[in-house]
Amino acid sequence: MFEWMVWTTPVAVFFCCIALMLVCMTVWEIKSPTTLRRGWLPMETTRGDRLFIGLLVAAYINLIYIGLAGKLQEWMELEAEPSIWISFVLSMLVLALIMRKG
């Protein structure tokens, strides 16, 4: 059923983190309903809005990194492509920033 997907460890960890975040956000929303607030994003957002925006940004960071990994290998004259863990950590840091300050 899932043979078409390349389930490497980083991919599995990324999707497990997303699933865990969705469960935690659901429990948090039930326990403490959210209110609109304005951070540095150009609109008032709820926690769910910031999570959605953050997940989109995280996905785009990973896609851009995957697209540029071969070029980075050439430019930096590396023996192998840079690890995908770099983009995973970067995307999770950006997601945390958006959730906290967005």
Side-chain angles (χ1 to χ4, degrees):
M1 182 170 147
F2 292 111
E3 292 85 28
W4 61 272
M5 181 76 173
V6 180
W7 286 101
T8 62
T9 302
V11 171
V13 169
F14 185 76
F15 280 101
C16 286
C17 286
I18 290 172
L20 183 62
M21 278 187 272
L22 291 173
V23 168
C24 290
M25 287 292 290
T26 301
V27 171
W28 190 9
E29 186 66 28
I30 291 169
K31 295 256 183 207
S32 172
T34 189
T35 59
L36 288 174
R37 78 173 172 108
R38 188 166 176 94
W40 51 266
L41 291 172
M43 62 192 150
E44 290 185 343
T45 57
T46 63
R47 285 188 296 255
D49 297 334
R50 290 188 300 276
L51 178 63
F52 180 73
I53 292 166
L55 287 173
L56 285 175
V57 171
Y60 285 125
I61 287 172
N62 282 294
L63 288 173
I64 290 168
Y65 186 85
I66 290 168
L68 293 177
K71 293 293 182 188
L72 288 173
Q73 180 183 2
E74 287 178 29
W75 294 334
M76 301 174 124
E77 299 175 359
L78 302 171
E79 292 179 18
E81 286 187 356
S83 174
I84 194 72
W85 288 107
I86 296 168
S87 69
F88 174 74
V89 170
L90 179 64
S91 66
M92 290 299 109
L93 289 173
V94 170
L95 175 63
L97 178 69
I98 291 172
M99 289 297 294
R100 181 75 180 139
K101 299 290 184 180

